Amino acid sequence: MANEVLNSALKYLANWYMQSNIEEVAVNCEGEVWLRLRGKREIPWVMEKDAHLSKSYLTDIMNIIANTYEVPFDPVMGIPVVYATLPGDHRFSGIAGKNVLYNNDDIEGGIALAIRTKKDTVDFNFADYGLVKGEDLKKLSSQNIELSSDPYQRLMDAIARGDHILISGATATGKTTFLNNILTLLSPSLRVITIEDSRELIVPQKNHIHLLLSRTGQTNMFTYKDVIDLVVRMTPDAIMGGEISTENAGAIWELMGTGHKHFYATIHAESVEGAYKAFIDRILHTFPELDQQKTFEEMKKKLRVVQIGREGNIRAITDIA
């Protein structure tokens, strides 16, 4: 009986995720559905309008899923996320409430979800992954980009490769403004997720989700640990971590190790070395057992730092490590 109710409720979403050419369905705000198409495509995501996908309908879906699978769901005071395997083995991840916002007008909170579809038959060939007997492994185009000695080109190359980048500087050096400008350099076809404690980032990519964890107004049980679980299920192409603090440093560092490219964040520090040290110091607040020397070496290998300085009204990039 419970599955019958669930299947009936899912009919509008199922119209999308049951299509054979769809690999993933994502909803970032009501009335729109993003579809990741199967196969090798230059632009894998396409957006369609669907008036049936209202916020009330999607919230009802999450409540019905939670009741069907007997998992907790309470966006206001409890757990605002739901994970489940839908009938047909389709994987569902969703969040509702004030922890997700689509724009600044959405003061009551929004909803976002992703459904990874199951393909009944898998046409698998190792050659599709560039693995051929007797041949060298192929490199992705971004792997072939060598960083330039020219500072400007070095930053452009790092962005093109999808390197993790930390924008470092003192207060009022323009770190967030610089990060917002980097967003304009990323492909408009990317799926972007931001993680902030206050809404500052401006995302021009239409396929985006804003996750919010307020330092002062948080009333439910959504933590940065929960952010990690949610983000990896939402398959972002780029992650914007906002400002690194003692609360989020451990989660941000863990997300940087999940295989995603294009991870960006800001931090208060006065030098490149100081940025690495400040990041580690903040991680230690939640992970006191951290191996500091090992983490420092790992950061230097996979995290590029753009250092911004200021003299009066003059702001300048002083180092790109």
Side-chain angles (χ1 to χ4, degrees):
M1 183 58 153
N3 276 344
E4 290 179 8
V5 173
L6 178 58
N7 283 327
S8 177
L10 284 168
K11 64 180 180 180
Y12 295 126
L13 272 175
N15 286 338
W16 297 107
Y17 68 75
M18 292 298 289
Q19 296 180 33
S20 60
N21 66 326
I22 303 300
E23 179 178 315
E24 183 171 1
V25 169
V27 177
N28 306 329
C29 66
E30 62 179 346
E32 295 180 359
V33 58
W34 288 86
L35 310 171
R36 185 192 287 272
L37 306 179
R38 295 192 185 278
K40 301 174 182 178
R41 301 174 186 270
E42 184 178 352
I43 301 178
W45 289 97
V46 296
M47 189 270 282
E48 300 285 351
K49 297 286 188 179
D50 188 342
H52 293 113
L53 304 183
S54 65
K55 185 158 66 174
S56 60
Y57 166 72
L58 296 170
T59 304
D60 287 344
I61 286 292
M62 293 187 68
N63 276 300
I64 292 170
I65 291 174
N67 290 333
T68 300
Y69 294 99
E70 298 182 343
V71 295
F73 174 62
D74 180 0
V76 179
M77 300 299 294
I79 298 173
V81 294
V82 172
Y83 305 118
T85 301
L86 303 179
D89 289 334
H90 308 291
R91 292 178 292 172
F92 179 94
S93 306
I95 179 171
K98 291 188 176 181
N99 294 113
V100 54
L101 300 175
Y102 190 74
N103 55 50
N104 287 327
D105 296 328
D106 195 10
I107 58 175
E108 295 182 356
I111 191 163
L113 61 87
I115 302 173
R116 295 295 302 273
T117 65
K118 180 185 178 183
K119 191 176 181 182
D120 293 331
T121 58
V122 179
D123 299 322
F124 177 82
N125 191 314
F126 283 116
D128 292 337
Y129 291 79
L131 185 62
V132 179
K133 185 176 180 179
E135 295 186 8
D136 293 333
L137 294 177
K138 291 180 172 57
K139 288 189 175 182
L140 299 175
S141 58
S142 59
Q143 292 179 290
N144 294 324
I145 299 175
E146 297 293 336
L147 292 182
S148 170
S149 59
D150 173 76
Y152 172 85
Q153 192 58 48
R154 185 157 69 247
L155 177 59
M156 296 302 105
D157 292 343
I159 294 172
R161 295 198 321 184
D163 291 356
H164 299 330
I165 297 177
L166 186 61
I167 313 300
S168 171
T171 301
T173 50
K175 298 184 296 296
T176 301
T177 299
F178 193 87
L179 186 52
N180 276 324
N181 275 278
I182 286 181
L183 271 163
T184 66
L185 301 177
L186 301 181
S187 168
S189 67
L190 294 186
R191 176 167 168 80
V192 178
I193 293 182
T194 67
I195 308 165
E196 301 180 86
D197 54 34
S198 62
R199 182 70 182 273
E200 294 183 303
L201 295 175
I202 303 170
V203 182
Q205 289 76 14
K206 293 182 178 180
N207 187 0
H208 70 262
I209 300 173
H210 285 280
L211 297 179
L212 200 65
L213 282 88
S214 172
R215 299 186 193 184
T216 57
Q218 188 83 2
T219 60
N220 60 17
M221 299 169 63
F222 192 58
T223 67
Y224 278 101
K225 179 182 180 300
D226 301 312
V227 168
I228 297 172
D229 294 336
L230 180 65
V231 168
V232 297
R233 289 173 168 85
M234 291 286 184
T235 59
D237 300 309
I239 304 171
M240 302 288 160
E243 182 183 331
I244 292 178
S245 65
T246 55
E247 289 85 1
N248 66 18
I252 286 177
W253 179 239
E254 188 170 342
L255 278 171
M256 287 182 174
T258 57
H260 294 91
K261 290 186 176 182
H262 295 294
F263 199 117
Y264 305 87
T266 67
I267 197 166
H268 285 279
E270 295 184 350
S271 67
V272 169
E273 294 292 308
Y276 291 131
K277 184 178 184 302
F279 198 171
I280 291 172
D281 287 344
R282 285 159 176 74
I283 297 174
L284 287 170
H285 280 265
T286 49
F287 296 97
E289 72 283 0
L290 182 78
D291 186 325
Q292 297 184 50
Q293 185 59 39
K294 180 181 177 181
T295 304
F296 179 76
E297 295 301 325
E298 289 179 357
M299 283 186 178
K300 291 183 70 174
K301 289 179 181 178
K302 69 179 182 182
L303 180 58
R304 306 209 167 274
V305 177
V306 175
Q307 185 65 39
I308 305 178
R310 177 184 178 186
E311 288 183 357
N313 290 328
I314 299 175
R315 294 175 175 84
I317 303 299
T318 58
D319 200 355
I320 299 178

